[in-house]
Amino acid sequence: MEEILRPLRYEDIEMVRTWRNSEGVAQYMYTAEPITPAQQEAWFQSISQDASKEYWIITSGGKDVGVANLYAINRAARTCYWAFYIAEQGVRGSGIGGKVEFTVLDYVFNTLKLNKLLCEVFVDNDKVISMHEKFGFRRESYFREHIMKDGKPKDVVGLAMLQREWAQLREAMRSRVFRTAAPSTDAPA
């Protein structure tokens, strides 16, 4: 299977800064102020030393196309949040978002052994909310006027999935996302 996520490296920070400063990405972020090279360097140093965060570069066809991350990883509570963006317009709609979502869910629940994965999405970002819900995320919260964006308050939807829910959905989602046949559930072990 093609590599979907690779660890973020120092050499990536200028590419990530360029993506993050682009209108196509910044419009979905909580903050939209342009990021300077010095700020990006400080950010990278900070996340590199923070065990509650993990960052990856999303790849498609051998090309770097976006960023995915976990944050607020709480091993005692067995929870974390996640976010991602596809910066390269040409791969949007190609199924890469679903592959990223599957890969992150599998990592959180089967590698980290956490119990709950959460995310927050602007209420008007219907495509991303719909994608999360297709994977089994449930709406758990509605944050009214949660973020000030361009001088205006924006509402945010909080979604989450539990490990036991993922365990029930995993094989069907794998076959849908990667277009492979799901193993028969009535086959002998």
Side-chain angles (χ1 to χ4, degrees):
M1 187 183 314
E2 170 191 0
E3 178 183 50
I4 307 288
L5 302 175
R6 67 164 178 80
L8 176 73
R9 301 182 299 248
Y10 179 80
E11 303 83 58
D12 299 320
I13 66 172
E14 184 56 28
M15 173 182 66
V16 170
R17 186 179 79 85
T18 300
W19 287 342
R20 182 60 181 76
N21 283 340
S22 72
E23 176 57 31
V25 171
Q27 67 180 320
Y28 299 110
M29 299 296 177
Y30 279 3
T31 59
E33 295 76 27
I35 300 165
T36 67
Q39 288 171 321
Q40 188 75 352
E41 174 86 27
W43 166 80
F44 182 79
Q45 295 307 322
S46 172
I47 67 162
S48 297
Q49 300 169 23
D50 187 342
S52 73
K53 295 179 178 154
E54 291 191 39
Y55 278 79
W56 301 279
I57 295 295
I58 300 167
T59 65
S60 179
K63 183 178 179 191
D64 299 335
V65 298
V67 173
N69 72 295
L70 300 179
Y71 62 99
I73 300 170
N74 183 330
R75 293 184 192 280
R78 296 182 53 223
T79 62
C80 72
Y81 284 79
W82 88 290
F84 82 102
Y85 61 82
I86 305 297
E88 297 296 328
Q89 301 282 342
V91 297
R92 290 184 183 170
S94 69
I96 188 66
K99 291 175 181 176
V100 170
E101 187 134 355
F102 182 93
T103 303
V104 168
L105 283 161
D106 230 31
Y107 178 74
V108 165
F109 294 129
N110 296 332
T111 301
L112 295 182
K113 307 287 188 203
L114 300 182
N115 185 56
K116 188 174 189 177
L117 179 62
L118 305 100
C119 60
E120 294 180 356
V121 182
F122 285 130
V123 72
D124 59 359
N125 194 346
D126 296 325
K127 286 184 181 178
V128 171
I129 292 170
S130 176
M131 184 176 79
H132 290 319
E133 289 178 333
K134 284 178 185 172
F135 269 85
F137 277 80
R138 296 183 186 183
R139 294 181 194 214
E140 290 196 342
S141 54
Y142 190 96
F143 301 110
R144 297 175 304 132
E145 299 184 6
H146 192 59
I147 298 295
M148 291 300 290
K149 185 82 173 186
D150 300 323
K152 298 176 187 146
K154 288 197 71 155
D155 295 353
V156 171
V157 175
L159 300 107
M161 182 183 285
L162 301 175
Q163 186 282 329
R164 70 176 180 270
E165 295 165 341
W166 178 240
Q168 292 174 342
L169 296 170
R170 183 188 185 279
E171 287 309 314
M173 293 309 299
R174 181 184 61 77
S175 66
R176 182 185 303 169
V177 168
F178 295 102
R179 293 179 173 80
T180 58
S184 172
T185 55
D186 56 17

